[in-house]
Amino acid sequence: MTASPSFERAQRLPRHFAWIAVAVDVVLFVASMTVQLLPSTAHSEQMRGVYAQPGVWVPLLSRVLTVWLLAATLAWCHARKALDERGAPRIAQLRSPGSRFAAVYLAAMVVNILALTPLFYQAQVLFMPGGPLHERVDTYGLRALMATSMLVQSLIQVLVLVASVWLAARFALRERGTASADAVPGATDAGAGMARPRGAVALVVAAMFVSLQMWIGNVASGWVDTARDTGVVPLLLGWFVVPLGVYALAFWGGWLGAAPGLTQARPFRAVAASVSAFVLLQAVCVVVAIGGLLWIASASVSGSSSYDRVVALAVVMAAIYLVLLVVLVRAITRRFYRRYL
C-alpha cells in the first residue's frame, strides 16, 4: 500500500526541523547585521569598515555557521528520536509540528537576543579603553579576564541554544489524542525520506564533532591577537577548509563505529559519543603537547636549537590529532551502540 502524504511528511520531519532552525537563525542574523550596517544608524560607516576586513568577517562567518550547524543537528536529533520511538504513523497525526517548532524557536531566539545581548555588551564595555577595568588591571591581566569572559559568554550561548531547540521540539512534538498507528495507511512502509541508521549516526557524530571543534577555535581566538590584515586565503583555509577535513574524518570514524548491522539510529547516543570522543581527544593532545614542550625546554637548556623541534612537535601533534580522531570516534561510537549492533 502506498504511504499517505502525511506519512511521508512525518518521515521528512527531521530534515524539516533542521532547515527550520537554520532559516530562523539566518533571518535573525540578517536582521541584526542590517540594523548595524544601515546608513541611517549611528556608527554604521565605521561598522561597515570593520566588517569589510577579512580578519573580522571570516571568523564571524565561522561563528555563525557553527551556531547554525549545532542548532540544525540538535533539531534533527529531536525529530529523529521521536520518529524512532513513536513511529511515523503517530508523528503523522501531529498538527503542524514544523510551524509550532518554528514559532517557539523564533520566540526563544528573540528573547535570547533581547535579554543576553545587552548583558554581553555591558561585559565588553568593562574591557574597553576607559572602562572600569582598564585603569585597574595590567595588560596581561586584562587580556586574561577578557578571554575568560568570552569563554563564559560562549558557554551561556551554547546552553541557551540547546535549551531553545529542546523547548521548541518538545512543544512541536507534543501529542494530543493522536490516532493509533494501525489507522494510518502505509504504517509499515520503509521511509524513503529517512536516513539509514548507519548514515544518520555518522552524520550526527561528524556534525557535533566539527561544531565543537569550531566552537573551541572561536573561543581560543579570544586568547590571542587576531591579525586583521591577514589575507583571505589563509583565513579561509584555517576557518573553513580545516573544519571540513575534520568533518570528513569524524564522519569516517562514525561510519566505521556504527557498523553495517546497526538497527536503530538513537541520535542522542551519537551526540554523546561525539562529545565524549572530542573531550578525550583534547585531553590526550594536551598531555602530548605538554610532554613535547618539556622536551623542547630541556633541549634548549642543553644548547640545541629549538626551532626545528617546535616544527617537528607541530607536525607530530597534527598527525596524532588526525589519527586519534578517527580511532577514538570509531571506538567510542562502537561502544555506545554495542547493544544495537
Side-chain angles (χ1 to χ4, degrees), residues 35 73 129:
V35 170
T73 303

Side-chain angles (χ1 to χ4, degrees), residues 289-308:
I290 292 175
L293 291 175
L294 292 176
W295 170 60
I296 292 174
S298 63
S300 300
V301 171
S302 62
S304 302
S305 174
S306 60
Y307 177 77
D308 293 339

Side-chain angles (χ1 to χ4, degrees), residues 43-89:
H43 310 295
S44 60
E45 184 176 353
Q46 180 182 359
M47 293 299 295
R48 286 195 296 271
V50 171
Y51 283 123
Q53 302 176 58
V56 175
W57 69 261
V58 173
L60 173 64
L61 185 58
S62 173
R63 287 192 294 272
V64 170
L65 291 177
T66 301
V67 172
W68 296 353
L69 179 60
L70 182 59
T73 303
L74 293 175
W76 189 96
C77 288
H78 282 291
R80 182 59 186 262
K81 179 176 181 289
L83 273 173
D84 287 345
E85 292 180 351
R86 306 181 200 174

Side-chain angles (χ1 to χ4, degrees), residues 32-236:
S32 174
M33 294 302 296
T34 301
V35 170
Q36 294 183 56
L37 302 180
L38 277 177
S40 59
T41 58
H43 310 295
S44 60
E45 184 176 353
Q46 180 182 359
M47 293 299 295
R48 286 195 296 271
V50 171
Y51 283 123
Q53 302 176 58
V56 175
W57 69 261
V58 173
L60 173 64
L61 185 58
S62 173
R63 287 192 294 272
V64 170
L65 291 177
T66 301
V67 172
W68 296 353
L69 179 60
L70 182 59
T73 303
L74 293 175
W76 189 96
C77 288
H78 282 291
R80 182 59 186 262
K81 179 176 181 289
L83 273 173
D84 287 345
E85 292 180 351
R86 306 181 200 174
R90 286 175 60 185
I91 296 298
Q93 301 304 300
L94 296 175
R95 296 180 179 179
S96 304
S99 300
R100 290 192 289 167
F101 178 85
V104 176
Y105 185 64
L106 175 61
M109 288 293 97
V110 170
V111 171
N112 172 32
I113 293 173
L114 296 178
L116 290 183
T117 300
L119 293 178
F120 290 161
Y121 176 76
Q122 292 299 323
Q124 294 172 3
V125 169
L126 296 176
F127 306 100
M128 293 181 180
L133 296 178
H134 193 260
E135 301 293 336
R136 302 180 183 180
V137 184
D138 58 22
T139 302
Y140 293 103
L142 188 65
R143 291 178 60 182
L145 287 174
M146 184 184 301
T148 304
S149 175
M150 292 181 61
L151 176 61
V152 173
Q153 291 180 31
S154 297
L155 286 172
I156 294 174
Q157 289 173 335
V158 169
L159 292 175
V160 169
L161 177 65
V162 172
S164 299
V165 175
W166 172 83
L167 180 64
R170 183 177 178 83
F171 180 78
L173 297 171
R174 185 173 55 182
E175 294 180 301
R176 296 180 179 179
T178 57
S180 64
D182 297 336
V184 181
T188 60
D189 292 347
M194 292 177 62
R196 300 298 179 185
R198 189 182 189 187
V201 169
L203 286 171
V204 172
V205 167
M208 285 300 303
F209 196 98
V210 78
S211 295
L212 293 172
Q213 184 74 68
M214 294 171 71
W215 179 76
I216 288 294
N218 282 294
V219 172
S221 67
W223 293 75
V224 296
D225 290 328
T226 57
R228 294 188 176 183
D229 56 350
T230 305
V232 176
V233 174
L235 288 170
L236 292 177

Side-chain angles (χ1 to χ4, degrees), residues 308-326:
D308 293 339
R309 294 178 182 270
V310 171
V311 174
L313 177 62
V315 173
V316 170
M317 287 296 302
I320 290 175
Y321 192 92
L322 297 178
V323 172
L324 283 182
L325 192 162
V326 178

